[in-house]
Amino acid sequence: MRAVFGVILASAALAATTLAGCQQAELGAENAWVRLPAVQGRPGAAYFTVKGGTQATSLVAVSSPAAIRAEIHEMKHDGKMMTMAPVKDVAIAAGERVEFKPGGKHVMLYDLSPEVRAGGTVPLRLAFADGKTIEVKAEVRAAGDAHDSH
C-alpha cells in the first residue's frame, strides 16, 4: 500500500513540475503600467514585459479602448542624440523576456480618454504575428510619479 501511495505522490509531483514548466513556456505579459502625459492632449506611454513562449513570434500591435490609437516605438542613441521612432514589430524569441520601459521600447497611447486617471487601470491588448492575443490590465500612473523609473 505504501509503495502504491509513493508512486501516486511521485506521479503527482512529476505532473506538477511538468505543468509548471508549461506555464513558464507560455507566451505572456506582466508588470504593465501606463504613464499619463504631463500635458493634457499629449500622448501617454505604456510599458510592460513580454515573456516568450515555446515558439518565436513578434509583437505586431498594441491597442487599448482607453486610447484612439497606439503605436509601438523605440528610443535609440543616434550619436549624442536620443531619437524615437515607430517600429513595425518587435521580435520575441522563444523563452526570452523583452522589456518595454522608459528610454527603450514602449507604446505611445494617443488621444487617451479623459476618464483615465492615475490610480486606475486600463486594458492593453497585445497582438502577435502568430495570431495570439493577450490582454493585460495596466496600472495608470501620473507623469512624474516616483514609480516612473522602473
Side-chain angles (χ1 to χ4, degrees):
M1 184 67 154
R2 281 187 176 169
V4 171
F5 187 67
V7 169
I8 291 171
L9 282 178
S11 297
L14 179 62
T17 302
T18 302
L19 286 175
C22 290
Q23 289 172 347
Q24 291 175 0
E26 190 174 319
L27 181 65
E30 60 189 16
N31 303 324
W33 61 283
V34 168
R35 180 176 50 211
L36 293 173
V39 177
Q40 192 169 4
R42 303 288 300 199
Y47 308 100
F48 45 85
T49 300
V50 177
K51 302 179 302 176
T54 57
Q55 302 291 320
T57 189
S58 294
L59 178 65
V60 295
V62 177
S63 61
S64 175
I68 299 292
R69 179 171 54 102
E71 292 180 358
I72 302 170
H73 281 222
E74 185 168 20
M75 304 230 13
K76 292 184 179 180
H77 284 284
D78 185 12
K80 294 184 180 184
M81 302 276 298
M82 277 296 270
T83 61
M84 179 179 72
V87 294
K88 191 173 89 167
D89 60 10
V90 175
I92 310 295
E96 295 295 319
R97 299 169 72 82
V98 177
E99 191 173 1
F100 286 67
K101 61 184 180 180
K105 293 174 184 64
H106 59 280
V107 176
M108 298 298 295
L109 299 171
Y110 295 92
D111 300 309
L112 277 169
S113 167
E115 296 170 9
V116 176
R117 302 246 194 286
T121 61
V122 296
L124 298 174
R125 180 178 219 86
L126 286 61
F128 297 87
D130 59 8
K132 293 180 182 167
T133 59
I134 297 171
E135 189 167 302
V136 295
K137 292 285 186 193
E139 172 191 338
V140 180
R141 300 179 186 167
D145 185 309
H147 293 97
D148 259 6
S149 60
H150 63 317

